Amino acid sequence: GGSASSSSSPSYKPMLRTGQRVVLQGLEKAKELNGHRGVVVKWRPDAGRYAVRVAGKEMAIKPENLKPEGGAAEAAKFQRKYGNTDGS
């Protein structure tokens, strides 16, 4: 890529929705959180980050550091396979 234009487009469309389960990845400052699961709270256009609830606290995390945990199809498959189990 030899493009000189800025890669951060102001019309960024957030891919992840509120409630989407995500896995943290590629974090530099909080390496211990890599691989942890979180839940998207909301998109924060002012910060250019997602507010994500991780380990009980809300954190601002860049989109590239979030990987959706499975898709809708995966969730449905999981429900069919494990959703009808009794007890704990």
Side-chain angles (χ1 to χ4, degrees), residues 4-66:
S5 65
S6 172
S7 63
S8 64
S9 85
S11 59
Y12 174 78
K13 294 268 196 301
M15 302 269 297
L16 304 171
R17 294 185 202 161
T18 298
Q20 167 75 53
R21 290 183 184 279
V22 291
V23 180
L24 277 57
Q25 60 179 10
L27 294 170
E28 292 294 330
K29 287 181 183 165
K31 285 194 170 80
E32 70 276 6
L33 291 177
N34 287 329
H36 274 243
R37 287 173 172 80
V39 178
V40 173
V41 178
K42 63 176 182 285
W43 168 248
R44 294 176 52 188
D46 56 317
R49 296 169 182 231
Y50 287 101
V52 182
R53 192 163 180 79
V54 185
K57 59 185 178 193
E58 202 174 296
M59 307 182 68
I61 301 181
K62 288 187 279 192
E64 60 262 33
N65 294 128
L66 294 172

